[in-house]
Amino acid sequence: MIATILAITLQLDQPKIESRPAVPYASIALEVTMDTIGRAMPDNLPKVAKWMSDHHVAQAGAPFMRFVRVDMKKGLAIEVGFPVAKLVKGDAQVKTGTIPKGRYVTMIHHGPYETVVAANAKLQAFASEKHLKFKMKKGPKGEEFVSRYEFYPTDPTQEPDASKWETRIAYMIAK
């Protein structure tokens, strides 16, 4: 058990504060639970990719999951999609928008997706220690984030070794 905790801890990079530019994106919005979130990307990213291809929209970065509203017990409102080269108009199936520019607390996590929750906890603890507030509000259905993302540059179908998977986590911080 201690070896497992140590191994997970060693896989977590250190959080930092950085300025990020605005980035246009295309995504599909979903309501999920912690039990069903694992299917969100594999079930929906191909739909977004097909929509982008059909609409001649170029991918401009790693696939992502946006956390719009979070209540770990009741459920989450998320979006899964891709950064795109330019902002385009969405439709009933695919939403488009812009990841806002601003200051973010970020970190890179190396390891399997099952350990990303621990990386988020580490990032949140760092923000608390630095007295940083996330750009979010508490709503009746959970915490509503202006900009909270996980980017997944590693394709698990191309890299079977989960210890080499990379997740880039970013939470926008309030001014």
Side-chain angles (χ1 to χ4, degrees):
M1 177 72 166
I2 292 174
T4 301
I5 292 171
L6 181 58
I8 291 170
T9 302
L10 291 174
Q11 295 299 317
L12 300 175
D13 290 35
Q14 295 302 309
K16 64 182 179 179
I17 300 168
E18 64 182 26
S19 292
R20 299 176 62 96
V23 177
Y25 69 87
S27 68
I28 291 180
L30 304 162
E31 295 279 336
V32 297
T33 65
M34 289 307 292
D35 291 335
T36 63
I37 197 169
R39 293 298 322 153
M41 301 279 290
D43 290 351
N44 292 284
L45 279 179
K47 295 174 189 175
V48 179
K50 181 177 182 333
W51 183 93
M52 289 168 52
S53 176
D54 291 348
H55 290 82
H56 310 287
V57 176
Q59 181 178 337
F64 68 79
M65 184 177 298
R66 175 182 178 210
F67 295 83
V68 178
R69 187 187 70 248
V70 176
D71 183 318
M72 299 295 272
K73 293 179 184 166
K74 295 179 185 173
L76 302 91
I78 64 169
E79 295 175 22
V80 296
F82 299 95
V84 296
K86 65 179 183 174
L87 185 60
V88 296
K89 186 176 180 181
D91 61 21
Q93 179 187 17
V94 172
K95 172 185 176 164
T96 59
T98 302
I99 298 170
K101 79 174 191 173
R103 291 180 59 226
Y104 287 77
V105 176
T106 66
M107 70 178 289
I108 299 171
H109 167 69
H110 293 94
Y113 299 135
E114 296 80 17
T115 59
V116 172
V117 171
N120 275 275
K122 182 172 183 171
L123 183 146
Q124 292 168 9
F126 170 85
S128 179
E129 290 167 9
K130 300 289 184 190
H131 307 287
L132 301 170
K133 302 289 183 200
F134 299 127
K135 197 157 189 182
M136 51 88 57
K137 66 180 180 178
K138 294 196 186 251
K141 292 185 175 183
E143 298 174 328
E144 300 170 2
F145 290 86
V146 170
S147 190
R148 176 182 169 184
Y149 287 83
E150 290 177 1
F151 295 89
Y152 307 98
T154 309
D155 181 347
T157 64
Q158 301 299 312
E159 176 52 73
D161 183 351
S163 70
K164 295 180 181 176
W165 294 355
E166 182 177 291
T167 303
R168 296 176 178 260
I169 305 166
Y171 288 57
M172 186 177 222
I173 51 179
K175 294 181 181 181

